[in-house]
């Protein structure tokens, strides 16, 4: 029985140290993401129980120093400075890496002066030894004068010692001010007295960084009144800290490359090659998309059969009535139409997680930096862009790590052009209608078509970015500074946790929208005005020569066209007819404004209502005939038009909302929605008119 209050722990450190690996190892599936109050900066929290004690862990975004250069760094610094907050941790675990100890120690030296109870966890000591980098943990503990443990975030080695320190009373007392010249210390103490803040380093940060002081007028008056050069303070503080680090670094760190058994450097010569590096990257992406079709084929078939059986069973079990029809003709086809694509989405997230866990994602950032600079972005833009292939919403939010405001804005504006996981159900459905499920050599034709859609999104992303680059002039040139993590064998547990977290988010978010949309659509398509109510008598009178089966089909079609949903669809049909779409496709386009994948659910509902045949949605669409032209409703030209429309349109309103939150600009939000909508419409129009 756990009675005591949980121990609140915050994980802090530079990027790419294994912090998230440690978080996943500790919390497993008992974790969730949220936002800091009032802002859209990710905050990952988890909890676990160890030795009958509950722990609540916050995984803070990686920061390079307490001098913030991006929004997430600024929020982390403010979080660490606000020691009166209810959310403030009891202790922090500050992670260092044996591979980049000198740089990591700079952040330690800054956080040390905040006097927060902490345990220093040194990760990847064994990996460092393979590279000829040796850390003396006992010496480091003596020099830092705080608890220091050697851990392996991946295997859990050293966790017992880590928790033994976390469960002890830890007090970090104030030390001499190593970060400021002797002659300036009195000014700092004077400012501290005025602000009634006891911690001198917090006052130093507030004085030297404009983003960290709420009362800027008071600060400015103090600086001007005392004729202080706080820029010089900040610069000198870095020099003084590195001078202090140098005084003990040689005692704790030994580098002997002669003893290295270094795999990373050798493999990087190939993976970071200016030619072979790109070819290998493209080959990896190509294999991922082939796998999406190859591996997912069987589970998709099983899910399709399962939902068919569910529909048959429920139709037989449920009594006839409106609610029964809502379930069998609405909810089951609508949900099943999207659930069938979960295997493919899971595979995509699985491989992306492996790229991240292995350390290869950081190489992609480095490899593509020069290319990105030519399109107004930076190597850091590749992370949001690749993340955009999963979901544009967290991808746009992750762009906050880009320091240059112009590069960040361009990245945000073009990221939704990348094919996200919500487009996969639409692409797979339409590709299955026009591309044979056959192989060309060892390659699946549908897999090649899916990759072509991804490459089309990439191509358009760079075209639009290049245009924006020439419209938005730079204010300064940015440079990429980053550390290359060691290559690691991906931990299968971490990969599966990451995959499940993303898939669960997709299921939950898409599921809510699809259920709500399905109910609304079903009500609209099964109700209407006088023509709808009198459909049977009108059709029977006008088509007396039809057989009983043909008459039933004609009545069902007439009811749909004259339902409330059909009336809405007919109203927008003139605008979309030049693209090759009828009113039913138009309704699916409108409903998918909530989320792109809703297109499939909507189509499934529209073509299932009133039909006694239980068929997979692909077979229904192949058999559908446009009553006006007598041609297939989903012809080659129409499917290509739809593929292009969904490749370029900004159909997801959540993406619009997050763009506005991140840019704080209605102008840029409307520009993004407007240019993507016009691009989608005219590309679809041209394609259909050329191919029809």
């Amino acid at each position: 029985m756990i009675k005591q209050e949980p121990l609140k722990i915050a994980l802090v450190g530079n990027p790419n140290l294994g912090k998230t690996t440690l978080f996943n190892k500790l919390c497993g599936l008992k974790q969730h993401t949220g936002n800091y109050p009032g802002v859209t900066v990710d905050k990952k929290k988890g909890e676990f129980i160890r030795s009958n004690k509950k722990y609540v862990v916050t995984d803070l975004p990686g920061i390079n120093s307490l001098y913030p250069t991006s929004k997430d760094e600024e929020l982390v610094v403010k979080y660490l400075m606000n020691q009166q907050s209810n959310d403030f941790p009891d202790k922090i675990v500050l992670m260092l890496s044996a591979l980049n100890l000198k740089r990591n120690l700079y952040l330690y030296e800054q956080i040390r002066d905040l006097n927060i109870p902490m345990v220093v966890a040194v990760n990847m000591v064994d990996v460092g030894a393979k590279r000829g980098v040796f850390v003396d943990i006992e010496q480091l503990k003596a020099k830092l004068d705080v608890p220091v443990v050697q851990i392996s975030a991946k295997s859990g080695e050293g966790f017992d010692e880590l928790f033994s320190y976390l469960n002890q009373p830890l007090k970090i007392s104030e030390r001499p001010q190593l970060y400021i010249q002797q002659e300036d210390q009195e000014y700092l103490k004077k400012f501290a007295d005025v602000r009634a803040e006891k911690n001198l380093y917090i006052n130093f940060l507030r004085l030297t960084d404009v983003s960290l002081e709420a009362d800027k007028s008071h600060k400015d008056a103090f600086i001007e009144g005392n004729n202080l050069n706080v820029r010089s303070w900040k610069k000198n503080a870095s020099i003084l800290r590195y001078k202090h680090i140098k005084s003990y670094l040689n005692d704790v760190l030994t580098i002997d490359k002669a003893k290295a058994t270094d795999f990373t450097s050798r493999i990087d010569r190939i993976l970071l090659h200016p030619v072979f590096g790109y070819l290998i990257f493209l080959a990896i992406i190509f294999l991922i998309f082939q796998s999406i079709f190859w591996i997912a084929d069987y589970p998709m078939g099983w899910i399709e059969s399962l939902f068919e059986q569910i529909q048959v069973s429920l139709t037989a079990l449920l009594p006839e009535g409106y609610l029964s029809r809502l379930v069998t003709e609405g909810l089951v086809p609508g949900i099943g139409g999207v659930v069938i694509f979960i295997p493919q989405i899971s595979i995509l997230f699985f491989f992306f997680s492996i790229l991240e866990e292995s350390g290869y994602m950081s190489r992609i950032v480095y490899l593509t930096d020069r290319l990105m600079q030519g399109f107004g972005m930076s190597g850091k833009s590749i992370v949001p862009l690749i993340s955009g292939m999963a979901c544009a919403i967290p991808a746009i939010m992750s762009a906050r790590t880009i320091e240059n405001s112009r590069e960040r804005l361009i990245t945000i504006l073009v990221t939704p052009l990348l094919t996200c996981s919500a487009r996969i159900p639409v692409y797979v459905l339409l590709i299955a209608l026009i591309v044979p499920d056959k192989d060309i050599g060892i390659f699946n034709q549908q897999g090649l078509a899916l990759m072509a859609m991804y490459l089309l999104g990439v191509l358009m992303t760079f075209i639009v970015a290049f245009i924006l680059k020439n419209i938005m002039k730079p204010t300064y040139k940015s440079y990429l500074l980053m550390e290359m993590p060691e290559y690691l064998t991906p931990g299968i547990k971490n990969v599966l946790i990451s995959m499940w977290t993303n898939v669960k988010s997709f299921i939950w978010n898409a599921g809510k929208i699809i259920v709500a949309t399905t109910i609304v659509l079903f009500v609209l398509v099964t109700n209407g005005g006088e023509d709808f109510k009198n459909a049977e008598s009108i059709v029977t009178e006008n088509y007396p020569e039809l057989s009983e089966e043909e008459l039933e089909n004609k009545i069902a079609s007439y009811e749909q066209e004259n339902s409330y949903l059909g009336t809405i669809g007919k109203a927008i049909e003139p605008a979309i007819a030049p693209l090759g779409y009828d009113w039913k496709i138009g309704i699916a386009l409108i409903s998918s404004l909530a989320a792109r994948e809703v297109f499939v659910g909507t189509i499934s509902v529209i073509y299932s209502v009133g039909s006694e045949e239980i068929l997979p949605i692909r077979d229904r669409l192949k058999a559908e005939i446009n009553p006006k032209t007598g041609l297939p409703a989903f012809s080659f030209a129409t499917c290509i038009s739809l593929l292009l429309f969904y490749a370029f349109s900004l159909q997801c309103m959540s993406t619009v909302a997050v763009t506005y939150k991140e840019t704080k600009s209605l102008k840029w939000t409307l520009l993004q929605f407007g240019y993507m909508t016009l691009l989608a419409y005219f590309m679809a129009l041209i394609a259909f008119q050329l191919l029809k």
Side-chain angles (χ1 to χ4, degrees):
M1 186 73 178
I2 300 170
K3 296 181 179 179
Q4 70 268 34
E5 286 293 313
L7 188 66
K8 293 182 288 185
I9 306 294
L11 303 182
V12 187
N14 292 152
N16 298 320
L17 297 184
K19 221 164 26 65
T20 300
T21 302
L22 174 60
F23 178 71
N24 289 335
K25 186 74 175 176
L26 293 174
C27 301
L29 294 175
K30 294 182 179 180
Q31 52 181 271
H32 64 274
T33 57
N35 291 327
Y36 290 95
V39 289
T40 53
V41 175
D42 271 348
K43 175 172 61 177
K44 293 178 72 175
K45 276 198 169 185
E47 58 184 53
F48 63 95
I49 296 172
R50 185 183 176 99
S51 300
N52 207 34
K53 185 175 181 63
K54 185 175 181 180
Y55 298 82
V56 176
V57 184
T58 301
D59 181 19
L60 297 172
I63 57 172
N64 292 302
S65 75
L66 296 187
Y67 300 146
T69 58
S70 60
K71 288 184 179 294
D72 54 344
E73 286 191 346
E74 180 183 321
L75 263 296
V76 173
V77 176
K78 287 181 177 179
Y79 173 87
L80 293 174
M81 290 168 58
N82 188 13
Q83 301 187 18
Q84 286 72 44
S85 169
N86 291 330
D87 199 33
F88 194 78
D90 300 309
K91 296 180 177 71
I92 66 173
V93 174
L94 178 64
M95 286 195 71
L96 309 181
S97 168
L99 303 176
N100 297 288
L101 194 61
K102 181 178 180 180
R103 183 165 181 259
N104 299 164
L105 284 171
Y106 179 76
L107 178 62
Y108 158 78
E109 289 292 339
Q110 289 184 305
I111 292 180
R112 169 63 180 80
D113 288 318
L114 296 177
N115 301 331
I116 304 171
M118 77 165 86
V119 179
V120 172
V122 186
N123 194 28
M124 295 192 284
V125 173
D126 54 340
V127 176
K130 293 178 182 177
R131 300 182 68 175
V133 179
F134 304 94
V135 179
D136 188 327
I137 297 296
E138 293 304 316
Q139 276 290 332
L140 186 63
K141 189 182 301 184
K143 298 296 181 181
L144 299 188
D145 196 27
V146 298
V148 178
V149 297
Q150 174 183 330
I151 69 164
S152 170
K154 183 180 174 183
S155 68
E157 181 186 344
F159 280 17
D160 288 340
E161 187 180 3
L162 173 65
F163 281 99
S164 71
Y165 280 121
L166 289 175
N167 290 311
Q168 295 175 20
L170 296 177
K171 183 173 178 60
I172 308 295
S173 57
E174 192 161 351
R175 65 177 181 176
Q177 288 81 57
L178 304 171
Y179 50 87
I180 191 168
Q181 302 283 6
Q182 188 70 36
E183 60 268 22
D184 294 321
Q185 291 187 20
E186 291 305 316
Y187 292 112
L188 184 60
K189 291 176 182 177
K190 184 178 177 182
F191 182 68
D193 290 339
V194 172
R195 291 195 75 262
E197 169 62 61
K198 294 180 180 179
N199 188 286
L200 289 178
Y201 191 55
I202 289 179
N203 286 288
F204 177 88
L205 291 172
R206 292 188 185 280
L207 264 176
T208 55
D209 198 308
V210 67
S211 65
L212 301 178
E213 176 58 57
D215 188 359
K216 293 183 176 63
S217 59
H218 167 71
K219 181 184 79 170
D220 293 342
F222 183 85
I223 292 172
E224 291 174 12
N226 291 281
N227 195 28
L228 302 178
N229 185 350
V230 292
R231 285 190 178 183
S232 178
W233 280 20
K234 198 171 179 179
K235 180 180 177 181
N236 288 337
S238 297
I239 295 171
L240 290 169
R241 288 202 185 280
Y242 274 116
K243 184 178 179 181
H244 176 64
I245 292 169
K246 187 178 179 180
S247 70
Y248 65 80
L249 187 64
N250 289 338
D251 294 330
V252 301
L253 181 68
T254 303
I255 299 176
D256 186 353
K257 290 296 183 181
K259 296 181 180 179
T261 57
D262 184 10
F263 171 78
T264 293
S265 298
R266 286 178 289 166
I267 197 69
D268 273 348
R269 293 190 191 103
I270 301 171
L271 295 182
L272 298 180
H273 190 276
V275 176
F276 297 124
Y278 284 106
L279 294 176
I280 292 170
F281 174 51
L282 290 175
I284 290 171
I285 298 298
F286 176 78
L287 290 173
I288 288 174
F289 295 129
Q290 282 292 309
S291 299
I292 286 176
F293 275 92
W294 174 55
I295 300 175
D297 188 41
Y298 288 106
M300 287 181 69
W302 298 334
I303 293 172
E304 190 172 66
S305 299
L306 174 64
F307 272 86
E308 286 178 26
Q309 188 59 48
I310 290 172
Q311 193 172 2
V312 170
S313 300
L314 289 176
T315 302
L317 288 172
L318 295 176
E320 289 189 14
Y322 191 76
L323 290 178
S324 297
R325 288 185 63 203
L326 170 61
V327 173
T328 58
E329 298 177 19
L331 291 174
V332 173
I335 295 172
V338 175
V339 169
I340 189 175
F341 300 105
I342 287 177
Q344 293 178 320
I345 293 167
S346 300
I347 292 166
L348 183 69
F349 286 131
F350 177 79
F351 283 115
F352 279 176
S353 180
I354 286 178
L355 295 182
E356 183 69 42
E357 281 275 317
S358 65
Y360 183 60
M361 194 70 79
S362 298
R363 271 74 185 177
I364 297 172
V365 172
Y366 175 82
L367 183 68
T368 58
D369 181 59
R370 182 175 295 181
L371 173 66
M372 291 293 169
Q373 291 285 349
F375 293 91
M377 297 180 283
S378 74
K380 286 189 176 181
S381 299
I382 198 68
V383 175
L385 294 181
I386 291 178
S387 299
M389 292 182 180
C391 180
I393 295 169
I396 288 172
M397 293 168 65
S398 70
R400 66 175 68 97
T401 59
I402 303 171
E403 294 86 355
N404 187 302
S405 58
R406 170 176 171 262
E407 293 173 354
R408 178 173 177 266
L409 181 58
I410 292 176
T411 304
I412 288 173
L413 293 177
V414 302
T415 292
L417 286 168
L418 274 298
T419 296
C420 65
S421 59
R423 286 183 173 108
I424 290 179
V426 182
Y427 285 176
V428 171
L429 177 63
L430 295 171
I431 287 171
L433 295 176
I434 58 174
V435 179
D437 187 13
K438 297 180 180 178
D439 294 336
I440 300 177
I442 61 171
F443 304 119
N444 181 272
Q445 290 186 36
Q446 293 183 351
L448 292 172
L450 181 62
M451 184 172 180
M453 294 306 301
Y454 271 81
L455 292 177
L456 181 63
V458 171
L459 176 63
M460 190 56 69
T461 297
F462 284 114
I463 290 173
V464 174
F466 185 75
I467 294 170
L468 292 173
K469 172 197 171 186
N470 288 284
I471 294 173
M472 301 161 60
K473 299 302 178 184
T475 53
Y476 63 92
K477 183 174 177 60
S478 64
Y479 298 91
L480 177 67
L481 295 173
M482 65 176 296
E483 297 172 358
M484 290 296 179
E486 181 77 8
Y487 286 110
L488 298 173
T489 303
I492 188 64
K493 183 178 179 181
N494 289 335
V495 169
L496 293 176
I497 287 173
S498 178
M499 181 188 75
W500 169 242
T501 301
N502 286 297
V503 172
K504 182 176 67 173
S505 176
F506 173 83
I507 294 171
W508 177 245
N509 293 327
K512 289 186 296 184
I513 297 170
I514 288 166
V515 169
T517 305
T518 296
I519 293 171
V520 172
L521 290 173
F522 185 83
V523 171
L524 291 176
V525 80
T526 54
N527 290 278
E530 290 302 314
D531 286 346
F532 175 86
K533 294 174 183 176
N534 300 315
E536 185 174 353
S537 59
I538 293 171
V539 172
T540 303
E541 182 179 341
N542 290 331
Y543 301 95
E545 75 284 357
L546 294 179
S547 66
E548 186 176 343
E549 183 179 349
E550 290 173 332
L551 192 63
E552 287 181 0
N553 291 336
K554 192 69 178 177
I555 291 170
S557 176
Y558 189 85
E559 283 181 338
Q560 271 200 349
E561 288 191 32
N562 290 280
S563 66
Y564 293 130
L565 189 66
T567 303
I568 296 169
K570 292 288 185 181
I572 65 171
E573 196 170 37
I576 60 174
L579 280 64
Y581 312 154
D582 61 12
W583 69 268
K584 295 180 181 180
I585 297 175
I587 291 297
L589 291 181
I590 292 175
S591 64
S592 64
L593 284 169
R596 297 176 183 91
E597 63 270 27
V598 175
F599 173 87
V600 177
T602 302
I603 286 290
S604 300
V605 172
I606 291 174
Y607 287 103
S608 295
V609 171
S611 174
E612 295 183 2
E613 262 191 306
I614 297 175
L615 293 172
I617 186 60
R618 286 171 289 185
D619 295 340
R620 288 187 185 278
L621 299 187
K622 285 179 181 179
E624 183 69 16
I625 300 297
N626 188 317
K628 292 184 178 180
T629 64
L631 299 173
F634 287 84
S635 64
F636 180 81
T638 299
C639 288
I640 293 294
S641 174
L642 276 169
L643 284 169
L644 291 176
F645 186 89
Y646 275 96
F648 302 131
S649 66
L650 185 56
Q651 288 291 107
C652 177
M653 289 298 102
S654 298
T655 303
V656 176
V658 81
T659 295
Y660 178 73
K661 286 182 179 180
E662 290 295 312
T663 62
K664 300 292 189 294
S665 169
L666 185 61
K667 177 183 77 172
W668 293 117
T669 305
L670 292 176
L671 172 69
Q672 183 189 60
F673 184 79
Y675 94 75
M676 290 187 69
T677 302
L678 291 174
L679 179 64
Y681 186 90
F682 285 106
M683 291 295 286
L685 174 67
I686 293 168
F688 181 76
Q689 295 301 323
L690 290 175
L691 296 172
K692 69 178 180 178

